[in-house]
Amino acid sequence: MLSVSLGGSVSAQSVRFSQVIDDALKHSGTMAIAAAEAAHARASLSQARDAYIPQAIVGSGLGASFGFPLTLEGSAPSIINFNTQSMVLNIPQRDYIRSAQMQWQAASTQTLDKRNQVILDAATSYIELDQALSKLKVLKDEGEAAHHAEFITSQRVSQGIDSELDSKKARLNSARVRMRMAEIQANVDVLREHLSKLTGIVLADLVTDAESLPKFPDVQQDADLASLAVESSPMVKVADQRAQAEEFRARAEHKQWLPTVDFAAQYARLCRFNHYDLYYLRYQPDNASIGVNIRFPIFNASQRATAEAADADVIKAKKEAELARNQVKEDTLKLQRSLAQLSAAAEVAKLEYEIANTTVDAAQSRLESGNATARDVENARLDASDRYASYLDAQLEMEKAQMQLMRQTGKLFDWSNEKK
């Protein structure tokens, strides 16, 4: 990878690549959201499992009675009452628990995908900033060359050697360089702000450290990266796990016709001002019940429709998993093949820059021999600077594609930690 350092700029305010990645993972809102989603799924799993743990409620049903003591919200009026209940046998609940467990696993797997997303964002922004700073240095030199060429042309115009059109062309070159510098500076400011928000590093003039960047691996065009991507892709795993969760939920809905057994117990302290002693032959203040509640579902048309809807959700989830698998294979193959083209484009840009550099040396030699003017040398330098900027652009596009491919194949995290 080609990268031009800023000489003295790499100082106390320079930030290493590994620090940016670490801080982004710690500070990123995306990671916080992913962790919250995983915690929510874990709580849902606990909720499904805890249905077998008895619930206990203590309360009071105080109230006056006139005539026969009626119930208050289903319970007899009492000074104090205690109720407990829990599942004992519920076959559908077992599948609900399995479904919740798969949803939790999917949320945990999705956290890995979010991690790769944050790493890709931070790495891309860091490398873009590194190359933008390199461009600024090149453009600064280019601006000086353009200004010198403009000065030489103005002198030649005043001497009657060049025309006014040549002077306008020289001024146009200077204006173009200033425009590009303003554009690159704006991009640098935006990238610095983005990295600051992403990592929490507050540096108004954040500078990259090109030496801290890990080396990009070589990509073999004959390797079956598409299959590797499907095996390691968190997106595919999440889709498969959600499909399994929907399948378990559908099983549970179809098992709702099976009998269930619940444990229940109740205690109540009754009082005479509710007239229990007048309407019950054997009144006593302390009363308790304990036992099991057995249910045999016979007919429930609504539940049948719910089960059919769950079956449809299973088909949808399985198709989404299949689409995710196909999408990952296709995207990986596209990235793998595009890298060959981007690598060739970077090589072409590099050779064009080297040729332009040779042209500068040739123009300098002709100047010394009296066969060229100083303006010819400055124009050659301007062209070399343009070629170098084009080379940086081509190199950046190739590196971005390489990082995308590493994310697809599950190697991005290891690569980002290579130089720690």
Side-chain angles (χ1 to χ4, degrees), residues 75-331:
S75 299
S78 57
I79 298 175
I80 186 172
N81 58 63
F82 172 81
N83 294 276
T84 181
Q85 61 180 13
S86 67
M87 289 183 181
V88 176
L89 175 63
N90 192 312
I91 297 176
Q93 187 66 19
R94 298 175 185 175
D95 286 321
Y96 283 129
I97 293 174
R98 294 188 183 103
S99 177
Q101 189 168 20
M102 293 309 302
Q103 290 287 6
W104 175 47
Q105 291 181 14
S108 301
T109 304
Q110 193 170 31
T111 301
L112 299 179
D113 186 54
K114 296 296 184 182
R115 182 192 67 181
N116 290 339
Q117 177 184 330
V118 171
I119 292 174
L120 181 63
D121 186 10
T124 301
S125 299
Y126 188 91
I127 292 175
E128 284 183 353
L129 178 59
D130 180 66
Q131 300 221 2
L133 292 173
S134 298
K135 281 185 182 180
L136 275 182
K137 183 178 184 300
V138 172
L139 286 172
K140 182 180 178 181
D141 296 338
E142 189 175 340
E144 293 175 356
H147 181 72
H148 192 201
E150 183 181 349
F151 174 75
I152 293 173
T153 303
S154 66
Q155 294 295 318
R156 291 171 64 89
V157 170
S158 64
Q159 295 171 6
I161 301 174
D162 288 342
S163 65
E164 188 63 31
L165 179 60
D166 293 325
S167 178
K168 289 183 178 180
K169 288 180 178 179
R171 292 199 302 271
L172 177 60
N173 285 336
S174 297
R176 283 174 174 168
V177 172
R178 290 194 297 271
M179 179 184 70
R180 289 173 58 193
M181 286 187 68
E183 179 183 352
I184 299 300
Q185 185 60 57
N187 190 33
V188 166
D189 293 340
V190 171
L191 288 169
R192 281 172 170 163
E193 179 68 17
H194 180 66
L195 282 172
S196 178
K197 292 293 186 294
L198 186 64
T199 62
I201 300 174
V202 182
L203 283 179
D205 52 351
L206 186 150
V207 175
T208 58
D209 181 0
E211 296 299 323
S212 69
L213 287 169
K215 182 181 178 182
F216 284 90
D218 295 328
V219 177
Q220 302 296 329
Q221 289 298 320
D222 57 348
D224 188 9
L225 297 183
S227 298
L228 176 61
V230 170
E231 292 176 3
S232 59
S233 171
M235 186 172 70
V236 173
K237 290 180 182 178
V238 167
D240 287 337
Q241 288 164 345
R242 286 178 174 169
Q244 293 179 50
E246 292 296 336
E247 194 167 2
F248 281 125
R249 188 175 69 84
R251 285 188 198 176
E253 298 297 347
H254 280 284
K255 292 177 181 179
Q256 290 294 333
W257 58 271
L258 295 174
T260 61
V261 178
D262 294 338
F263 165 78
Q266 183 179 20
Y267 163 79
R269 174 75 177 184
L270 307 180
C271 53
R272 293 182 181 275
F273 59 73
N274 290 115
H275 310 314
Y276 289 112
D277 55 334
L278 299 179
Y279 291 94
Y280 290 93
L281 181 62
R282 291 188 173 181
Y283 163 76
Q284 64 180 40
D286 296 305
N287 300 270
S289 298
I290 186 170
V292 293
N293 189 6
I294 304 175
R295 298 183 183 87
F296 294 91
I298 297 176
F299 178 76
N300 190 331
S302 176
Q303 180 57 37
R304 182 187 302 172
T306 301
E308 291 174 355
D311 290 337
D313 289 337
V314 172
I315 295 174
K316 176 185 174 183
K318 286 184 175 181
K319 288 300 179 182
E320 287 177 344
E322 183 179 344
L323 289 174
R325 188 174 289 102
N326 293 338
Q327 188 66 48
V328 167
K329 290 187 70 173
E330 183 179 339
D331 291 345

Side-chain angles (χ1 to χ4, degrees), residues 40-62:
H40 183 277
R42 182 69 180 86
S44 297
L45 173 60
S46 297
Q47 181 183 12
R49 285 175 172 171
D50 292 348
Y52 289 97
I53 299 176
Q55 302 176 19
I57 301 174
V58 176
S60 176
L62 288 174

